[in-house]
Amino acid sequence: MSTANPYLSVIIPCFNEDASIPLFYEEAIKILAQINEQIEFIFIDDGSTDNTLNILRQLAAQNNNVNYISFSRNFGKEAAMLAGLQRANGQFIATMDIDLQDPPSLIPQMLEAVASGEYDCAGTRRVNRIGEPIIRSFFARRFYSFMKKFSDIEIVDGARDFRLMNRKYLEAFLALQERNRFSKGIFPWLGFKTKWFEYTNIGRTTGETKWSFGKLLLYSFDGIIAFSSKPLAIASILGILLFLASFLLIMLIVIRKIMFGDPVDGWASTICIILFCSGVQLFTTGILGQYMAKIYTETKQRPQYIVQEEKQWI
Ligand code: UDP
Ligand code: MG
């Protein structure tokens, strides 16, 4: 690579993607040739167990503009994106998936919007979820509507991690020190002007999605906890309501005792109340625990990823 900073850095996290890399690279350089500027690619091997690292080594040896980082194990897509963003030298920076679900053909338009100076970031969103399991779409929609109601930021429905930003935006993103990085929420939190591009869902070129339903569910919890303290408020409100209800119940029992003596009945209702209350208690302690766990990981100050090998930047 020459010493001049590239015009555009493209960051691509890869987890077991040996089949997708050549397809992606071929497609990307074909389209990005239109831009006629210097472009660097930063591939992040997120602890793949297939041939991904070897393919990246080869690609980097053949092409000056290809850089790669390889993690010591799988640290997750957020960590991979962060590592790439921290090393990007470009005047403009794009992040995208490798499976061609994020069409490289959108990059020239996105670049135009940001390079014009009118916008600091270009984001993309899917306008449909065709080809996705119904249950996954259902929970995804619930997640977006929950975030809309209960957090201070607005996460655009269907927003992808396919973005293009200028350096000002990147530096603001990197200035955030938190370890639980939920970038879908961090980006809107930063503010600035974002132009949205819409496209319809495209199937993966090769391989399968790396996100199981459980992994996505946990990821959505991360998002909720990172950007909303409403679950804690809900827990408190539940506590107050239960307290009021129990107060009324106590009054009722006392009055009944005074008026009708103390007949031994109400066993079933007692058990129901005990079960209900202990359920609510466990639920609310669970919410507390989730926040505590996040505080715990933040205080440990562990690095978000560990690099085992990378192509040296010149
Ligand atoms: N990915 C990653 N680490 C992971 C999971 C995924 O770097 O732990 C990468 C993956 O290689 C791909 C991108 O993140 O480039 C998106 O993954 P995928 O296509 O499986 O997600 P989906 O498009 O189904 O949301
Ligand atoms: Mg994908």
Side-chain angles (χ1 to χ4, degrees):
M1 218 174 76
S2 76
T3 41
N5 279 348
Y7 186 66
L8 175 69
S9 304
V10 184
I11 292 157
I12 316 107
C14 311
F15 178 47
N16 293 341
E17 300 280 8
D18 53 5
S20 318
I21 296 169
L23 294 173
F24 169 85
Y25 186 68
E26 207 175 298
E27 176 80 12
I29 46 167
K30 203 164 68 196
I31 285 160
L32 296 180
Q34 294 171 24
I35 298 171
N36 209 11
E37 294 275 2
Q38 204 195 349
I39 293 165
E40 71 168 351
F41 290 88
I42 305 177
F43 291 91
I44 302 97
D45 162 32
D46 184 13
S48 302
T49 49
D50 66 355
N51 217 12
T52 296
L53 179 56
N54 276 331
I55 305 247
L56 289 179
R57 282 186 190 130
Q58 276 170 23
L59 199 69
Q62 289 158 3
N63 302 282
N64 259 343
N65 63 346
V66 172
N67 300 308
Y68 68 86
I69 309 160
S70 177
F71 287 174
S72 60
R73 64 169 171 84
N74 179 245
F75 281 91
K77 187 182 175 188
E78 286 286 348
M81 288 199 301
L82 178 69
L85 289 169
Q86 285 169 336
R87 288 163 175 81
N89 297 306
Q91 195 180 334
F92 301 101
I93 306 96
T95 53
M96 63 195 301
D97 290 3
I98 194 150
D99 53 17
L100 295 176
Q101 281 186 308
D102 299 335
S105 55
L106 269 180
I107 292 188
Q109 298 166 48
M110 293 162 78
L111 194 58
E112 202 180 322
V114 180
S116 72
E118 203 183 328
Y119 296 94
D120 299 295
C121 177
T124 57
R125 59 180 289 258
R126 290 190 298 185
V127 282
N128 66 13
R129 293 178 168 270
I130 293 168
E132 198 182 60
I134 294 169
I135 180 131
R136 182 178 288 202
S137 302
F138 173 79
F139 276 101
R141 293 209 190 288
R142 293 287 75 71
F143 170 72
Y144 287 116
S145 67
F146 180 91
M147 290 302 272
K148 197 171 194 157
K149 273 195 211 116
F150 292 125
S151 76
D152 306 330
I153 49 157
E154 175 150 353
I155 300 184
V156 175
D157 188 354
R160 303 276 302 165
D161 291 328
F162 181 22
R163 290 178 170 266
L164 192 147
M165 63 196 94
N166 60 20
R167 287 215 76 86
K168 180 171 69 175
Y169 195 87
L170 173 71
E171 269 148 33
F173 176 82
L174 293 178
L176 265 71
Q177 295 291 322
E178 63 210 76
R179 260 126 242 277
N180 291 302
R181 292 186 87 87
F182 184 74
S183 52
K184 271 193 169 54
I186 296 179
F187 285 123
W189 185 90
L190 294 177
F192 296 113
K193 276 184 83 176
T194 299
K195 177 161 185 172
W196 289 96
F197 290 83
E198 294 182 346
Y199 65 95
T200 47
N201 198 23
I202 309 164
R204 259 180 161 268
T205 42
T206 55
E208 289 203 338
T209 175
K210 308 293 178 307
W211 296 86
S212 64
F213 182 70
K215 216 169 157 187
L216 271 181
L217 197 69
L218 288 179
Y219 186 60
S220 69
F221 284 172
D222 275 354
I224 292 170
I225 288 164
F227 285 95
S228 169
S229 51
K230 289 292 182 320
L232 290 171
I234 294 170
S236 316
I237 290 167
L238 265 177
I240 293 170
L241 289 179
L242 269 180
F243 170 73
L244 289 176
S246 64
F247 184 73
L248 291 177
L249 216 61
I250 290 168
M251 301 270 285
L252 188 82
I253 291 166
V254 170
I255 292 169
R256 222 167 68 157
K257 160 100 179 146
I258 294 168
M259 290 176 64
F260 306 110
D262 190 18
V264 187
D265 64 357
W267 180 84
S269 56
T270 312
I271 293 296
C272 289
I273 291 165
I274 290 174
L275 284 179
F276 176 70
C277 290
S278 41
V280 171
Q281 275 173 9
L282 274 181
F283 173 71
T284 48
T285 350
I287 292 178
L288 274 176
Q290 289 291 328
Y291 283 89
M292 250 179 62
K294 294 292 173 210
I295 298 170
Y296 183 52
T297 44
E298 291 291 335
T299 53
K300 278 193 285 194
Q301 297 272 309
R302 284 191 184 153
Q304 278 109 325
Y305 57 84
I306 293 170
V307 174
Q308 63 161 355
E309 179 182 324
E310 66 184 295
K311 182 178 156 190
Q312 287 295 312
W313 269 257
I314 302 165

